[in-house]
Amino acid sequence: METGALPVALINKRRVLDNICRMQERARCSGASFRPHFKTHQSLEIGEWFRDLDIQSITVSSPAMAQFFMANGWDDCLIALPMHAGAVPVYNELAPSRNLELLTDSVVAVQAVDQALQQRVGLWIEVDAGYQRTGVPFHNLPALIELACVIEESTHFELRGLLIHAGQSYSCKGKEALADLFADQMRRLNTMRTALVEAGFDNVRISYGDTPCCSGLDSLTGVDELRPGNFVFYDLMQENIGACEEADIALAVSCPVIGVYPERSQVLIHGGAVHFSKESLTYDSGLTIFGKVVENQLNGWGNPLSGCYLRGMSQEHGVIEGTEDWVKQQKVGGVVTILPVHSCLTMNLLRPDFIEVG
Amino acid sequence: METGALPVALINKRRVLDNICRMQERARCSGASFRPHFKTHQSLEIGEWFRDLDIQSITVSSPAMAQFFMANGWDDCLIALPMHAGAVPVYNELAPSRNLELLTDSVVAVQAVDQALQQRVGLWIEVDAGYQRTGVPFHNLPALIELACVIEESTHFELRGLLIHAGQSYSCKGKEALADLFADQMRRLNTMRTALVEAGFDNVRISYGDTPCCSGLDSLTGVDELRPGNFVFYDLMQENIGACEEADIALAVSCPVIGVYPERSQVLIHGGAVHFSKESLTYDSGLTIFGKVVENQLNGWGNPLSGCYLRGMSQEHGVIEGTEDWVKQQKVGGVVTILPVHSCLTMNLLRPDFIEVG
């Protein structure tokens, strides 16, 4: 794979390693174990970069992703999607001689999956961080205790603790907001943990997940396990939240130029919804973008080019609005490098053919 | 692949064949050849369904997709993305002993690609349908003639004609609006064709592409080639435009239920941005959706369930807002079937594991 023929992901390995080491150190300082989420890269090769840093435990976002990584030597894996009876064949395939962990918020699911499981697995109780996706609500201590009791009575589950993904951190701006959110989440989680301990449950660990909180705070005291994912690459969304600097972003996309239109200050690229997805970012200024143009460099990319943004897309085409000067310099057949809004969805589309740069 | 473990595409083959036959017949009645766009399904198996109906010529949306299909016996292929010098190695790989066709709106691209090509290829002039993505604007007859002359003078290109994708049909509502758009496009295209003929160019064909116009009109008089893609499956967007009936939609997605929340009338499914993409549809009522829930059936799906919509999503999770009664009937571990907003992006993510139903 070379740049120029097709859109291709560029990955700056040095930045990836820096991002991993920084997060690993933050987990260590917080007294937490580290179970990074591999949904962001979904790559065996990048997985090896983690392994070289002595990371053995991972999180994935689907049973299929667990199959992929566990078939390739990752023997300690949490599937961070509520378990359900339909996926039991996968759980049974994966659990023997490995540490498979699942999560749930449902008595019905515990009973149904327990009946069909053939092996013991670890089970986390998912807590709703307050934005009502999945999980037991903070206030519902009776439901929490009931669920823990059903897990305790089951044949195949071993209760690991409380797991949360504070997804509302994606609407935060800056470290103070992230710190406030984290403190609030931990206060509520500790209330839940205390209720469980008082009901006789031991070793109730707390697993904490979102990249903004895990990146924006110097320490995450009280957390027993850290499972962020996006931090491996970061992206424009994380930069806008304040979870990273632009210089930490480790994934860019090289896109062929397919049209140059100085009369409307636009450059068209081969790079659309099947490469970036349709995730957009709206800045406080009201500007909505799908990506930001950065300087091309021989072995990677440089600084963002002021006033040049990916502003629209269809399936394969991307529309860049640029400055008059920049547009005039572009040529059909050239290449433009773009920082994506959301690296997880971009890498999901562009893996496994990436180019290592930097 | 079975339903229940993972999100999986269900494809109703009878509807697919009906959709293909109807479009093939419309091309025949319009006196146009038929070059369906394979970007929607991207499947060799579904390609064979076309081949069984005696369809030999195809359109694809990228050099990589041309490699995929041409390596599998499709010897007459148009790459409907502006050509550029970076992709010449792919063009040179594909062109020998086959009919490869490209498109352009750029003198720079013609000159650069011509220099590096090793074979003769067919070349279309892309016309900007008026929404300023790519193409020569209707009014710019001097640019059109100049481009045609550069193509004529080239070593490797054979001018095929004028190619258009009237993407603004996606904002139309109903057959009358589509007919008005088509008539306007054809009037302008014919002005361009006349200018080319007067400048001495022969055999200037017109290639017309978007699914709404190709589906919504009984006949497309004046068109020489039809290249719609989405019609093979259709989707909620096309239904909303009036290009199809709900009963024509041939692709649905079966998603495991991972959470049931009667207190907020929501069901959570395993089915998110990595399965549906983030394409949404806003109805005139103001309701924005990512999909519509349909009745589960043993070998496919039934009617839409009133008031049950996919309303939100993250990477793997989908949030369905449903009626009180319907939500109460759902169970973690069950399955929900969803009609997607945009079948091209959904199939791009869910291929190649689909289940044939119906």
Side-chain angles (χ1 to χ4, degrees), chain A residues 21-289:
Chain A
C21 288
R22 212 180 307 121
M23 192 62 77
Q24 191 177 25
E25 177 62 12
R26 191 172 291 126
R28 205 191 55 74
C29 291
S30 310
S33 57
F34 189 33
R35 183 184 285 283
H37 206 315
F38 274 22
K39 73 171 183 174
T40 303
H41 62 80
Q42 293 183 59
S43 154
L44 293 178
E45 186 175 343
I46 296 175
E48 292 307 312
W49 303 353
F50 282 84
R51 189 126 55 187
D52 292 345
L53 293 167
D54 214 25
I55 290 156
Q56 313 287 341
S57 307
I58 65 171
T59 307
V60 298
S61 59
S62 72
M65 215 183 290
Q67 284 175 307
F68 178 68
F69 282 109
M70 293 185 100
N72 286 281
W74 292 93
D75 291 336
D76 181 3
C77 184
L78 160 68
I79 304 177
L81 185 83
M83 69 172 185
H84 60 91
V88 171
V90 180
Y91 308 149
N92 279 332
E93 172 198 323
L94 298 177
S97 356
R98 297 181 178 120
N99 183 48
L100 179 67
E101 303 195 348
L102 303 173
L103 60 84
T104 193
D105 65 2
S106 157
V107 165
V108 170
V110 172
Q111 289 170 337
V113 174
D114 187 42
Q115 277 199 345
L117 267 183
Q118 292 159 357
Q119 300 278 333
R120 282 186 75 76
V121 302
L123 186 58
W124 294 85
I125 293 177
E126 185 175 17
V127 175
D128 176 0
Y131 63 105
Q132 301 197 323
R133 190 173 71 173
T134 45
V136 177
F138 288 126
H139 67 269
N140 202 341
L141 298 183
L144 174 72
I145 303 293
E146 185 200 358
L147 183 56
C149 289
V150 174
I151 294 170
E152 185 85 351
E153 287 156 14
S154 74
T155 308
H156 299 99
F157 294 115
E158 209 164 278
L159 181 62
R160 289 282 193 269
L162 300 169
L163 180 146
I164 200 162
H165 178 263
Q168 65 267 65
S169 63
Y170 282 77
S171 330
C172 286
K173 275 291 178 59
K175 297 198 171 190
E176 200 172 326
L178 291 168
D180 288 349
L181 172 64
F182 176 73
D184 184 59
Q185 298 276 308
M186 286 307 293
R187 190 175 52 74
R188 293 168 188 265
L189 281 168
N190 281 321
T191 303
M192 290 180 112
R193 171 150 60 181
T194 302
L196 284 173
V197 170
E198 284 172 359
F201 295 92
D202 293 334
N203 297 321
V204 178
R205 302 181 76 218
I206 289 179
S207 176
Y208 205 88
D210 63 292
T211 282
C213 281
C214 291
S215 302
L217 305 184
D218 293 330
S219 117
L220 293 105
T221 311
V223 168
D224 299 300
E225 176 175 273
L226 233 57
R227 3 163 282 285
N230 180 286
F231 74 95
V232 62
F233 299 141
Y234 291 116
D235 51 35
L236 295 177
M237 205 187 282
Q238 297 290 341
E239 185 205 12
N240 190 49
I241 293 165
C244 72
E245 304 292 323
E246 188 274 318
D248 300 324
I249 299 176
L251 170 70
V253 185
S254 163
C255 296
V257 173
I258 58 171
V260 180
Y261 307 94
E263 65 279 13
R264 54 182 200 254
S265 290
Q266 288 182 344
V267 168
L268 268 278
I269 55 170
H270 184 198
V274 297
H275 311 101
F276 291 95
S277 96
K278 284 213 146 180
E279 190 92 88
S280 63
L281 169 63
T282 300
Y283 288 112
D284 287 344
S285 66
L287 178 74
T288 295
I289 66 163

Side-chain angles (χ1 to χ4, degrees), chain A residues 61 105 133 261 264 314 316, chain B residues 61 105 133 261 314 316:
Chain A
S61 59
D105 65 2
R133 190 173 71 173
Y261 307 94
R264 54 182 200 254
S314 43
E316 300 269 357
Chain B
S61 59
D105 65 2
R133 190 173 70 175
Y261 307 94
S314 45
E316 300 268 357

Side-chain angles (χ1 to χ4, degrees), chain A residues 4-6 39-40 42 61-65 67 80-87 90 105-106 108-109 128 132-135 256-259 261 264 266 268 270 273-274 278-279 314-317 319 331-333 342 344-345 348-349, chain B residues 4-6 39-40 42 61-65 67 80-87 90 105-106 108-109 128 132-135 256-259 261 264 266 268 270 273-274 278-279 314-317 319 331-333 342 344-345 348-349:
Chain A
L6 301 170
K39 73 171 183 174
T40 303
Q42 293 183 59
S61 59
S62 72
M65 215 183 290
Q67 284 175 307
L81 185 83
M83 69 172 185
H84 60 91
V90 180
D105 65 2
S106 157
V108 170
D128 176 0
Q132 301 197 323
R133 190 173 71 173
T134 45
V257 173
I258 58 171
Y261 307 94
R264 54 182 200 254
Q266 288 182 344
L268 268 278
H270 184 198
V274 297
K278 284 213 146 180
E279 190 92 88
S314 43
Q315 184 161 345
E316 300 269 357
H317 300 66
V319 182
K331 222 174 92 172
V332 177
H342 190 167
C344 304
L345 297 186
N348 178 60
L349 288 160
Chain B
L6 301 170
K39 73 171 182 174
T40 303
Q42 294 183 59
S61 59
S62 72
M65 216 183 289
Q67 285 174 305
L81 185 84
M83 69 173 186
H84 61 92
V90 180
D105 65 2
S106 157
V108 170
D128 177 1
Q132 303 196 322
R133 190 173 70 175
T134 44
V257 172
I258 59 171
Y261 307 94
R264 52 182 202 254
Q266 287 182 344
L268 267 279
H270 184 198
V274 297
K278 284 213 149 180
E279 191 91 88
S314 45
Q315 184 161 346
E316 300 268 357
H317 299 65
V319 182
K331 223 174 93 174
V332 177
H342 190 168
C344 304
L345 297 186
N348 179 61
L349 288 160

